[in-house]
Structure formats: structure tokens, C-alpha cells
Amino acid sequence: MRVICEGLNEWGLLKESPDTLMETGLYRRYTLCSSGHMLGLDVHDCARARAEVYLDGVLEEGQVLTVEPGLYLQPDDLTLPEEFRGLGVRIEDDLVITADGARLMSGALPRHPDEVEDWMAGLLR
């Protein structure tokens, strides 16, 4: 979320410092969701996924979660310069908690925009 705050500040979309944006949460206007969530039938978009167990809980070996910060600049947001309206990006990584930390299950996927475009074009061939 800090990287998002830094970018919004660098682009001039939010004038406050990244530290202030992190403290106040003003960046959330453009994120629309949290930075991630647990994965699985009992926790993904489920009414029984309680904060004390999942968001505020302690990670345990075998649990799987996604880290998916996103930036969504709405096409009808007249407070944004026109060239930014309608842009959005979300990077999603899935991790499994291990005894020694975590294993990034999506680590082999392309990261750079050009690599993603090449990969997607290959899938469509």
C-alpha cells in the first residue's frame, strides 16, 4: 500500500506525503479493496470469515493467502486528470505459509508489463 501511496504522490494525484497518506488512509479512495485476503472455501467472500480469525489472526503452516494490492482510477472521477481516468492495475500473488516462512506460488509468472503482454499474446495464439 505504501508503493501505491508513493505513486499517487509522485503523479500529483494526492498532494500529501506518502507517510501522511498511510496514516490517514486517503489512498483508499483509489484502492477499493484491502491488500489481500485468505484463500479457501471457508474464507474467500464468505460471511463466516471473521476478522479475529483471519485478518487479525496468526498465520499458520498450510494456510494460503493472496496479496493483491490494486489501484483503480475511475473513468468518471472528474477530480483526476483526464489521462489517468479509467486506469487500473492489480498485482496478485498467492502464498502458502510454510514452517520456515512462505512459498510464493505465483513466482514464475511474468512481472513486467511487456512480459505480461507477451505471455497473454502467447495464450491467445
PDB file of all heavy atoms in Angstrom, residues 5-20:
ATOM      1  N   CYS A   5       0.795   4.614  -2.328  1.00  0.00           N
ATOM      2  CA  CYS A   5       0.831   5.984  -1.792  1.00  0.00           C
ATOM      3  C   CYS A   5       1.946   6.791  -2.450  1.00  0.00           C
ATOM      4  O   CYS A   5       1.757   7.956  -2.808  1.00  0.00           O
ATOM      5  CB  CYS A   5       1.024   5.964  -0.281  1.00  0.00           C
ATOM      6  SG  CYS A   5      -0.401   5.355   0.630  1.00  0.00           S
ATOM      7  N   GLU A   6       3.102   6.179  -2.601  1.00  0.00           N
ATOM      8  CA  GLU A   6       4.232   6.875  -3.235  1.00  0.00           C
ATOM      9  C   GLU A   6       3.905   7.240  -4.675  1.00  0.00           C
ATOM     10  O   GLU A   6       4.185   8.347  -5.134  1.00  0.00           O
ATOM     11  CB  GLU A   6       5.487   6.013  -3.159  1.00  0.00           C
ATOM     12  CG  GLU A   6       6.034   5.889  -1.748  1.00  0.00           C
ATOM     13  CD  GLU A   6       7.118   4.832  -1.598  1.00  0.00           C
ATOM     14  OE1 GLU A   6       7.423   4.117  -2.599  1.00  0.00           O
ATOM     15  OE2 GLU A   6       7.657   4.714  -0.482  1.00  0.00           O
ATOM     16  N   GLY A   7       3.283   6.300  -5.403  1.00  0.00           N
ATOM     17  CA  GLY A   7       2.920   6.569  -6.786  1.00  0.00           C
ATOM     18  C   GLY A   7       1.878   7.660  -6.923  1.00  0.00           C
ATOM     19  O   GLY A   7       2.002   8.543  -7.777  1.00  0.00           O
ATOM     20  N   LEU A   8       0.850   7.606  -6.092  1.00  0.00           N
ATOM     21  CA  LEU A   8      -0.189   8.644  -6.136  1.00  0.00           C
ATOM     22  C   LEU A   8       0.400  10.017  -5.845  1.00  0.00           C
ATOM     23  O   LEU A   8       0.003  11.009  -6.461  1.00  0.00           O
ATOM     24  CB  LEU A   8      -1.305   8.305  -5.143  1.00  0.00           C
ATOM     25  CG  LEU A   8      -2.177   7.108  -5.507  1.00  0.00           C
ATOM     26  CD1 LEU A   8      -3.046   6.693  -4.324  1.00  0.00           C
ATOM     27  CD2 LEU A   8      -3.032   7.400  -6.739  1.00  0.00           C
ATOM     28  N   ASN A   9       1.359  10.072  -4.931  1.00  0.00           N
ATOM     29  CA  ASN A   9       2.030  11.329  -4.606  1.00  0.00           C
ATOM     30  C   ASN A   9       2.925  11.784  -5.756  1.00  0.00           C
ATOM     31  O   ASN A   9       2.887  12.947  -6.164  1.00  0.00           O
ATOM     32  CB  ASN A   9       2.825  11.172  -3.316  1.00  0.00           C
ATOM     33  CG  ASN A   9       3.601  12.428  -2.969  1.00  0.00           C
ATOM     34  OD1 ASN A   9       4.769  12.526  -3.321  1.00  0.00           O
ATOM     35  ND2 ASN A   9       2.954  13.378  -2.314  1.00  0.00           N
ATOM     36  N   GLU A  10       3.723  10.877  -6.314  1.00  0.00           N
ATOM     37  CA  GLU A  10       4.628  11.220  -7.417  1.00  0.00           C
ATOM     38  C   GLU A  10       3.858  11.716  -8.640  1.00  0.00           C
ATOM     39  O   GLU A  10       4.313  12.620  -9.341  1.00  0.00           O
ATOM     40  CB  GLU A  10       5.483  10.017  -7.796  1.00  0.00           C
ATOM     41  CG  GLU A  10       6.563   9.702  -6.780  1.00  0.00           C
ATOM     42  CD  GLU A  10       7.281   8.395  -7.090  1.00  0.00           C
ATOM     43  OE1 GLU A  10       7.206   7.898  -8.241  1.00  0.00           O
ATOM     44  OE2 GLU A  10       7.910   7.855  -6.160  1.00  0.00           O
ATOM     45  N   TRP A  11       2.706  11.109  -8.917  1.00  0.00           N
ATOM     46  CA  TRP A  11       1.891  11.518 -10.055  1.00  0.00           C
ATOM     47  C   TRP A  11       1.138  12.824  -9.786  1.00  0.00           C
ATOM     48  O   TRP A  11       0.506  13.362 -10.677  1.00  0.00           O
ATOM     49  CB  TRP A  11       0.883  10.447 -10.409  1.00  0.00           C
ATOM     50  CG  TRP A  11       1.476   9.194 -10.964  1.00  0.00           C
ATOM     51  CD1 TRP A  11       2.722   9.018 -11.485  1.00  0.00           C
ATOM     52  CD2 TRP A  11       0.819   7.945 -11.060  1.00  0.00           C
ATOM     53  NE1 TRP A  11       2.878   7.720 -11.891  1.00  0.00           N
ATOM     54  CE2 TRP A  11       1.725   7.037 -11.647  1.00  0.00           C
ATOM     55  CE3 TRP A  11      -0.440   7.488 -10.708  1.00  0.00           C
ATOM     56  CZ2 TRP A  11       1.407   5.712 -11.898  1.00  0.00           C
ATOM     57  CZ3 TRP A  11      -0.759   6.167 -10.948  1.00  0.00           C
ATOM     58  CH2 TRP A  11       0.161   5.285 -11.544  1.00  0.00           C
ATOM     59  N   GLY A  12       1.172  13.293  -8.531  1.00  0.00           N
ATOM     60  CA  GLY A  12       0.466  14.516  -8.180  1.00  0.00           C
ATOM     61  C   GLY A  12      -1.027  14.320  -7.968  1.00  0.00           C
ATOM     62  O   GLY A  12      -1.767  15.303  -7.854  1.00  0.00           O
ATOM     63  N   LEU A  13      -1.483  13.078  -7.902  1.00  0.00           N
ATOM     64  CA  LEU A  13      -2.913  12.830  -7.703  1.00  0.00           C
ATOM     65  C   LEU A  13      -3.328  13.072  -6.263  1.00  0.00           C
ATOM     66  O   LEU A  13      -4.469  13.443  -5.996  1.00  0.00           O
ATOM     67  CB  LEU A  13      -3.260  11.408  -8.130  1.00  0.00           C
ATOM     68  CG  LEU A  13      -2.971  11.095  -9.606  1.00  0.00           C
ATOM     69  CD1 LEU A  13      -3.352   9.664  -9.932  1.00  0.00           C
ATOM     70  CD2 LEU A  13      -3.691  12.068 -10.517  1.00  0.00           C
ATOM     71  N   LEU A  14      -2.422  12.831  -5.322  1.00  0.00           N
ATOM     72  CA  LEU A  14      -2.631  13.176  -3.918  1.00  0.00           C
ATOM     73  C   LEU A  14      -1.402  13.952  -3.461  1.00  0.00           C
ATOM     74  O   LEU A  14      -0.277  13.485  -3.624  1.00  0.00           O
ATOM     75  CB  LEU A  14      -2.845  11.927  -3.061  1.00  0.00           C
ATOM     76  CG  LEU A  14      -4.147  11.166  -3.324  1.00  0.00           C
ATOM     77  CD1 LEU A  14      -4.206   9.885  -2.503  1.00  0.00           C
ATOM     78  CD2 LEU A  14      -5.365  12.029  -3.024  1.00  0.00           C
ATOM     79  N   LYS A  15      -1.626  15.128  -2.928  1.00  0.00           N
ATOM     80  CA  LYS A  15      -0.527  16.043  -2.594  1.00  0.00           C
ATOM     81  C   LYS A  15       0.183  15.698  -1.288  1.00  0.00           C
ATOM     82  O   LYS A  15       1.323  16.072  -1.082  1.00  0.00           O
ATOM     83  CB  LYS A  15      -1.052  17.487  -2.502  1.00  0.00           C
ATOM     84  CG  LYS A  15      -1.815  17.948  -3.716  1.00  0.00           C
ATOM     85  CD  LYS A  15      -0.936  18.046  -4.931  1.00  0.00           C
ATOM     86  CE  LYS A  15      -1.727  18.627  -6.094  1.00  0.00           C
ATOM     87  NZ  LYS A  15      -1.220  18.241  -7.379  1.00  0.00           N
ATOM     88  N   GLU A  16      -0.499  14.974  -0.412  1.00  0.00           N
ATOM     89  CA  GLU A  16       0.078  14.650   0.888  1.00  0.00           C
ATOM     90  C   GLU A  16       1.269  13.707   0.714  1.00  0.00           C
ATOM     91  O   GLU A  16       1.362  12.973  -0.263  1.00  0.00           O
ATOM     92  CB  GLU A  16      -0.963  13.998   1.802  1.00  0.00           C
ATOM     93  CG  GLU A  16      -2.129  14.902   2.163  1.00  0.00           C
ATOM     94  CD  GLU A  16      -3.196  14.977   1.076  1.00  0.00           C
ATOM     95  OE1 GLU A  16      -3.049  14.335   0.017  1.00  0.00           O
ATOM     96  OE2 GLU A  16      -4.181  15.702   1.286  1.00  0.00           O
ATOM     97  N   SER A  17       2.167  13.707   1.707  1.00  0.00           N
ATOM     98  CA  SER A  17       3.321  12.811   1.665  1.00  0.00           C
ATOM     99  C   SER A  17       2.855  11.359   1.788  1.00  0.00           C
ATOM    100  O   SER A  17       1.783  11.090   2.340  1.00  0.00           O
ATOM    101  CB  SER A  17       4.280  13.140   2.806  1.00  0.00           C
ATOM    102  OG  SER A  17       3.719  12.719   4.041  1.00  0.00           O
ATOM    103  N   PRO A  18       3.651  10.410   1.290  1.00  0.00           N
ATOM    104  CA  PRO A  18       3.283   9.005   1.463  1.00  0.00           C
ATOM    105  C   PRO A  18       3.053   8.634   2.932  1.00  0.00           C
ATOM    106  O   PRO A  18       2.137   7.865   3.236  1.00  0.00           O
ATOM    107  CB  PRO A  18       4.475   8.249   0.869  1.00  0.00           C
ATOM    108  CG  PRO A  18       4.986   9.182  -0.188  1.00  0.00           C
ATOM    109  CD  PRO A  18       4.811  10.551   0.410  1.00  0.00           C
ATOM    110  N   ASP A  19       3.856   9.192   3.853  1.00  0.00           N
ATOM    111  CA  ASP A  19       3.646   8.910   5.277  1.00  0.00           C
ATOM    112  C   ASP A  19       2.263   9.366   5.733  1.00  0.00           C
ATOM    113  O   ASP A  19       1.555   8.636   6.424  1.00  0.00           O
ATOM    114  CB  ASP A  19       4.724   9.590   6.129  1.00  0.00           C
ATOM    115  CG  ASP A  19       6.073   8.909   6.013  1.00  0.00           C
ATOM    116  OD1 ASP A  19       6.121   7.709   5.666  1.00  0.00           O
ATOM    117  OD2 ASP A  19       7.082   9.582   6.264  1.00  0.00           O
ATOM    118  N   THR A  20       1.883  10.570   5.330  1.00  0.00           N
ATOM    119  CA  THR A  20       0.575  11.102   5.702  1.00  0.00           C
ATOM    120  C   THR A  20      -0.540  10.275   5.076  1.00  0.00           C
ATOM    121  O   THR A  20      -1.546   9.976   5.727  1.00  0.00           O
ATOM    122  CB  THR A  20       0.451  12.578   5.285  1.00  0.00           C
ATOM    123  OG1 THR A  20       1.466  13.330   5.959  1.00  0.00           O
ATOM    124  CG2 THR A  20      -0.922  13.145   5.618  1.00  0.00           C
TER     125      THR A  20
END
